[in-house]
Amino acid sequence: MASPFALSVALRQLTHNRGQTLLTIGVVATSVTLILFVSSLINGLQIRLVSTITDSIPHLRIMPVERAPEVLWDRPEAQASPVFVGTVPKLEQRQRKIEGWKPWLERIGALEPLELTALLPSVDGPVVVSRESKRISARLIGALPEQYNRIVDLQGNMAAGRFFGLNGGEAVIGVQLARELGVHLGDRISLLSAEGIVASATIAGIYDTGFGALDQTTVFVPLRDAQSLLQLGNAITGFAVKVRDVFTAEKIAGNLRQQLPFKIESWMEDNERTLSGLKAQDGSSQMIIAFTTVSAGLAIAALMVISVSRKYREIGILKAMGASNGQILRIFALQGLILSVMGALIGTFVSLALLGWLSGLQTVAASTGRPTDLFPIAFTIGNFLVGNGLAVATGLVASIYPASQASKVDPIEVIRGQ
Amino acid sequence: MKPALSSSTLAVERVGKVYPGEVPTRALNGVSFAVAPGEFVAIVGASGSGKTSLLNLLGLLDSATEGTIHLNGVDVTNLTPGEAVRLRRDMLGFIFQFHYLLPEFSALENALMPCRLAGEGQVARQEPGMLALFDRVGLAGKLNKRPHQLSGGEQQRVAILRALANDPLFILADEPTGNLDSANANEIFTLLRNITREMERTVIMVTHDHELAAKADRVITLRDGRIESDRPASALAHCS
Ligand SMILES: Nc1ncnc2c1ncn2[C@@H]1O[C@H](COP(=O)(O)OP(=O)(O)O)[C@@H](O)[C@H]1O
Ligand SMILES: [Mg+2]
């Protein structure tokens, strides 16, 4: 229980030495503002960067295993008999596909029921799109539009036409591909697959997602049309997966690899360099936070050491009158606590106002011509707790030294000093 | 063998104090005396004769090297720090040469500070009596003044009231008038003398003002850490 004595003396001293109190609160508030600002901004930048990568692609791709070439002399039969030459493994079909995929779909869904937010069959392959004399090589994706929209929101980004309810013989393409081909809604294009199959499709929709890879080079058709173009029958080329938390993708992939006879790739493997850049950024923001915290702590400690030495005589006399060491200690520990809590509150308030203002600022992205936030700011409860928790803990820690000096004041020395 | 403890409220028996150090300093040597309840004792002596050392022992701020001290029948010679703090709060009031009032608190709050140390309940209990004391010393109009708004004499009067706040049995004063001009010193002394007489408190006051000492009940003279003389103030007045 905080004694009313310590609290009343602590508060009185703080309100009496207003200038010094405001100065200390200002230092803490500035530090908290800096911490919240830096962490929210870096957080926001990372979220923006990661989402530009992960919003337009499946987080995991589940594909048939590529057969590794087998080394014959590693086989046990070869070691038993030096003249063994081995059997020639039956050459796999060049095209890799998953037959009878429906039971697999259920099985995969059951393995990670909580972590997977989307799981769907898809067909994926190279295609040449042509319109009159123009030929452009592109990527063909066949899927059910209502399902695939969970991987990337095309329906919400249609420049013209529709994605949902795509019929056989219809295709949806990106705005840049449409421009290059010179096609519009309702025009017909022809698609030539690597298997040599040609089909023609009507443009039912043109999307504009802002993701270059999608808008420039991807053609969506219904699953069935893609299967026949790539001569897959009822088979698919893989499953596309979205996970709840993008940063757990690799862990989930690891789990699935152990339990499934498929090759599983996560977005994290494909973006290792970006991710290690993010780690470095995390590290440097933690350094900034650490140094800011330490300097705020030193400022509190310095100001409190001064106030203890100014109060030296009064402390001695209070002790002579019967103040315990604990009561004296609490006076100064409470001051540290009050200063840091006030500073943290003000810092939070200021940084919220600042972040609110900055997050309203917009700029026009040069590549897409779309308005985007100048500062991608993500203020989280976590940032708030870390910034404020650090400030309050620092205030307490910083006051320990001056408070214990105060509690050690010897009344006899004070009395002698007179 | 023991002096009559029951009749005396404060008893010092063969007390010695040696300050350790490269050259240990003996500040007190075989000091014995007993003080009756309500007695006003002045301690005089040259500078360095051991007056403050003795007062610090009686105030439980320091411990004796030899001998024993009883306060109100309690042996206080070897107390733990916690016990000493409690007894200081309950039984002792201090007045120093300088007032050491807390600048952030009003005169009334300063005077009630020892009560606040003991808990808010104690503040509530003692406040009415304290208001009466402010009236009694002519500071009723200055209850809410800060120390810096008071004159030197007024500050020291508040310090006296602070020493009385917890209804202590003993008041220990180390040159309480040492920082005042003689008119003010006289006034403050008279006040302390009268109030403590009315309230029947025991006072041990160190002073080097022989005129004031002569107005005590009894004067103990220290010399090089020993009691040189211990006699009624009237006798001292005759001598000088
Ligand atoms: N803390 C200490 N360490 C060493 N010597 C001390 C200490 N305090 C007091 N003394 C010595 O003890 C003697 C008595 O001092 P003191 O009690 O202050 O006398 P007075 O109050 O009568 O002037 C002096 O010689 C002084 O120097
Ligand atoms: Mg002295």
Side-chain angles (χ1 to χ4, degrees), chain B residues 10 12 28 31 33 35 40-46 49-56 58 171-176 189 203-210 212-214 216-223 226-231 236:
Chain B
L10 183 157
V12 177
L28 292 171
V31 172
F33 64 96
V35 178
F40 194 112
V41 179
I43 295 179
V44 296
S49 59
K51 305 182 297 294
T52 297
S53 299
L54 177 59
L55 218 58
N56 286 345
L58 297 178
I171 296 179
L172 306 175
D174 196 348
E175 306 201 22
F189 173 81
V203 181
I204 315 286
M205 180 185 79
V206 167
T207 183
H208 47 228
D209 185 332
H210 285 267
L212 294 184
D217 293 327
R218 177 177 164 194
V219 180
I220 295 175
T221 309
L222 288 182
R223 186 193 183 110
R226 292 175 183 276
I227 293 185
E228 187 187 51
S229 70
D230 179 354
R231 49 193 153 179
L236 185 95

Side-chain angles (χ1 to χ4, degrees), chain A residues 131-152:
Chain A
R131 160 84 180 170
E132 289 161 4
S133 62
K134 291 211 179 74
R135 295 164 159 267
I136 295 174
S137 57
R139 182 167 166 227
L140 180 76
I141 294 181
L144 297 175
E146 287 76 6
Q147 286 186 352
Y148 203 86
N149 210 62
R150 307 251 285 276
I151 302 292
V152 53

